[in-house]
Structure formats: C-alpha cells, structure tokens
Amino acid sequence: MNRNEIIEYLKTPNCDELFTAADKVRNEYMGNEVYIRGIIEFSNFCCRNCFYCGLRTDNNKTERYRMTPQEIINIVETIYSKGIRTVVLQSGDDFGYSRSDICNIISLIKNKFDIAITLSIGERKNDDYKAFRDAGADRYLIKFETSNRSLYEKLHPRQDFNRRLEILEILDSLGYQVGTGFMVGLPGETIEDIANNIILSKNIMPDMIGIGPFIPQKETPLGHCSNGSVINTLKAIALLRINLKYSHIPATTALASLDKNGLVKGLKCGANVIMPDFTPDTEKNKYRIYDNKQRITFDFAKDAISKADRSLSLSRGDSLKKKEAIYED
Ligand code: SAH
C-alpha cells in the first residue's frame, strides 16, 4: 500500500471492508491465537519531560515508587504460575536503576523462570542495551511516538528523533526482538502524520508494533487537550496488519481505556496480543501515564479473547518476522 492509499483509507468513514481485510490477513499469517504478555510497571520515576505523559519529571503531584528486585521477582512468580511465558518490565526512564541493577533483575528472573523478558525502560546508553541483552533480555519496546519530527521535538524537550531511530537499529543489531509504535491523535497531528507513522513502521519492520490513542493526563501540559480517536486507532491497527503481516500487534490498554470493548475491537481488526498488567494496586494508582486508565486483568483479557472468538495462547509468542523476510524474497 502506498501513502496515498493509506490516506484514502484513513479518510473513508466506512471501515468495515478494511477491518475485514485486516482480520483475514491476521488469520492467515498469525493464526487464531492471542498471545499474553504480563506487564509489571516497576518504577514511576522518570528523568524525561514528555508533554503527554503523567510520569514526566515536572509532575510533582505523583507520589513516586521504585520496586526492589525481590518485589519484582514475586510478581514474576505470580505471572509464571498462571502459565504466562512473557513478562514486560516497564518504567519511566529511571536511572535510579544502574546498568548492573537492571542486569541483576534480568539474571534473577532468568535463573528462576523459563520466561521471555521484554524491557520497556526508555532511552539508555548503547552499552546498557548491550549489557541487558547479554544478561538475558529477549525483547525491547521503545515507541517512536510520532514520525513528525517537529512534533516529536516539541513534545520531548531535550530529546532527539534521530536518537530514537538509532536506538531501534542498535536494539535490532544486538539481537533483541524489537517493539515500537506510536500514539494516534496527539495534539497537532494530521491524518498525513498517521499515514507517515504507518510507513515508518513498515520501514522499521519491527517484531512488534503497539499503538494506542493519546489520552490526556491532567498534570501535564496537554492535560486540557482532547483524546485521540478510537476509530482512527482501529484503522491504523488494520492498516498496520495489512502492511506488516508478521508483526505482533497488541490491542492496547489505551484503546480499552477509551472504549469498553476496545480490546475486542482491536482483536477484530488485526491485533493478536494482549498485555494484562500485574502491578499491585498500591503502585498501579501511581503509574498514571494518562487518566482513567482501564485495568487489564488476566480475566479481563481472557474475556475479550473469548468475545472475539479467538483462542488464548500462553506460549512465549516469539517473533515471526524472520518468516516475513523469507516470504518477501
Ligand atoms: N519510559 C518508557 C515507557 C513509557 S510508558 C519509554 O519511554 O519507552 C509507555 C508508553 O505509554 C509510551 O511509549 C507512550 O506511547 C504511552 N503513553 C504515555 N503517555 C500517554 C498518553 N498520555 N496517552 C496515551 N499513551 C501514552
């Protein structure tokens, strides 16, 4: 699909045909299974100041927490005991954990459990990424957030769009399965930007691509803005599925936060992953990247999977991207 076709689809009010086509591609290339990734939001400290995110350093209304390795291991134990074989460790960009602290957490988990580890801890030094990989991390999730360079730079003070893209390449060269993604409906974004986000995603050829609508958080500079559109998010999921046949695509928490059937709708237009969260209640309420976040429990995820008439897979759900390369040859 070229850029103009993508824009056409994004502008068309009737999307049934697009969703049906995406669902068919998903079934053919990814099968009927929905993979489960258990998330632990282990720290809400952050040194960045992203305009949209409630964890931003200037937000002094949030009480900050940091879990100990033992607290994290205990939650991994719960996740593992339910049969889930991927854990996502997510936090703000928190340098309160040194390179060796993170390596230590990874090795503790790997020594005890046969489980894939995805890190989602933001921008670090290249040597950190290498050390985390050597310690046993399997995957890394870092979104480019928007392909519009000037919007990116406006929303991320003192951060550089080129560095984001460079990190994605470095992670790939280190042998991580790489996840990226973007938000839909950031203030100032156009339909053309969404199309460019889809094209950039296609060029990156990630193992996983996660997208969700922008949702305001009241303690941020964008707290008064309106949220991104659910329908545009669903269209973007469908277009990603058609263009990136073998990438894992989650039905995200942000989508479920704006629409009570968001997970089911996402699964019906291309998504094949759900990421229930296992952060304990006390910390959960403090991990407020946006307001009115829907709690995705494992039961909530299972219910969405059965409503979408799909089957649950607890396996690691590794990347199928290599197959895509073969397919394209
Ligand atoms: N510090 C890590 C993890 C950030 S939170 C990192 O920067 O990668 C994970 C994701 O939440 C972000 O990548 C962003 O896409 C999403 N997010 C943050 N604020 C949001 C908001 N207000 N609305 C919707 N999604 C948001």
Side-chain angles (χ1 to χ4, degrees):
M1 240 184 232
N2 65 33
R3 188 167 176 275
N4 287 340
E5 285 172 291
I6 293 174
I7 292 173
E8 264 320 294
Y9 277 112
L10 289 169
K11 286 185 171 165
T12 312
N14 181 359
C15 23
D16 292 351
E17 204 183 301
L18 175 67
F19 292 174
T20 308
D23 198 45
K24 196 164 161 240
V25 172
R26 187 272 311 149
N27 191 44
E28 190 175 330
Y29 292 85
M30 305 303 275
N32 193 51
E33 288 82 19
V34 178
Y35 297 98
I36 299 290
R37 325 292 196 198
I39 301 204
I40 308 173
E41 294 147 334
F42 67 94
S43 159
N44 69 351
F45 279 87
C46 192
C47 67
R48 317 270 177 221
N49 235 338
C50 308
F51 272 44
Y52 44 82
C53 183
L55 305 190
R56 68 201 306 272
T57 196
D58 282 358
N59 177 6
N60 51 23
K61 298 266 157 50
T62 291
E63 198 189 318
R64 305 284 171 165
Y65 69 88
R66 219 173 244 144
M67 290 183 193
T68 62
Q70 191 54 52
E71 285 173 286
I72 297 171
I73 296 292
N74 293 346
I75 305 171
V76 177
E77 177 117 55
T78 306
I79 293 173
Y80 190 83
S81 72
K82 297 194 184 293
I84 298 170
R85 292 294 176 263
T86 294
V87 60
V88 181
L89 301 177
Q90 191 179 81
S91 67
D93 290 22
D94 181 6
F95 287 84
Y97 296 89
S98 66
R99 180 186 303 168
S100 62
D101 291 336
I102 298 289
C103 288
N104 176 42
I105 293 167
I106 295 167
S107 349
L108 285 170
I109 296 174
K110 283 290 182 177
N111 287 338
K112 218 166 161 199
F113 307 101
D114 175 20
I115 196 165
I117 299 179
T118 303
L119 296 177
S120 173
I121 61 175
E123 291 193 16
R124 309 274 303 205
K125 293 210 171 87
N126 296 352
D127 289 346
D128 287 11
Y129 294 131
K130 174 151 189 358
F132 304 157
R133 177 82 187 117
D134 291 344
D138 302 272
R139 308 179 188 144
Y140 205 101
L141 171 58
I142 185 160
K143 301 189 184 180
F144 59 80
E145 314 292 3
T146 173
S147 62
N148 178 327
R149 197 174 280 271
S150 69
L151 185 58
Y152 184 94
E153 272 148 29
K154 244 189 255 171
L155 297 177
H156 302 94
R158 293 181 301 282
Q159 283 181 271
D160 176 0
F161 183 70
N162 290 338
R163 174 65 184 152
R164 272 283 144 139
L165 298 183
E166 182 188 50
I167 289 172
L168 288 164
E169 279 178 22
I170 288 167
L171 293 169
D172 186 57
S173 70
L174 288 169
Y176 283 97
Q177 295 172 38
V178 177
T180 191
F182 55 88
M183 279 173 273
V184 173
L186 280 168
E189 179 194 76
T190 62
I191 289 291
E192 285 72 18
D193 289 330
I194 304 180
N196 291 337
N197 290 345
I198 292 167
I199 288 168
L200 176 58
S201 306
K202 195 173 172 176
N203 292 339
I204 294 171
M205 241 233 224
D207 300 283
M208 186 273 233
I209 176 106
I211 67 164
F214 158 73
I215 306 176
Q217 204 285 341
K218 64 179 185 314
E219 306 300 340
T220 67
L222 304 182
H224 60 283
C225 298
S226 4
N227 52 244
S229 131
V230 169
I231 197 74
N232 283 349
T233 306
L234 294 171
K235 283 184 185 177
I237 290 176
L239 290 161
L240 286 168
R241 170 55 69 213
I242 292 168
N243 285 283
L244 286 134
K245 300 184 169 49
Y246 284 114
S247 295
H248 287 296
I249 304 181
T252 54
T253 308
L255 186 56
S257 300
L258 288 188
D259 183 323
K260 65 175 176 11
N261 290 317
L263 294 186
V264 180
K265 289 181 182 173
L267 291 177
K268 286 185 174 227
C269 68
N272 71 319
V273 169
I274 298 182
M275 302 164 74
D277 99 68
F278 287 86
T279 310
D281 285 338
T282 37
E283 284 89 6
K284 181 77 247 162
N285 298 327
K286 298 175 193 155
Y287 197 85
R288 197 170 299 159
I289 54 182
Y290 47 81
D291 290 329
N292 306 314
K293 197 168 172 214
Q294 169 69 47
R295 175 121 218 190
I296 311 287
T297 61
F298 190 27
D299 284 342
F300 189 91
K302 285 194 275 198
D303 187 51
I305 294 168
S306 83
K307 280 188 180 133
D309 204 16
R310 298 274 286 282
S311 56
L312 168 77
S313 171
L314 292 176
S315 74
R316 283 168 59 108
D318 278 308
S319 175
L320 296 173
K321 199 178 79 176
K322 289 207 177 63
K323 251 169 136 180
E324 178 169 44
I326 295 162
Y327 170 75
E328 284 192 346
D329 275 349

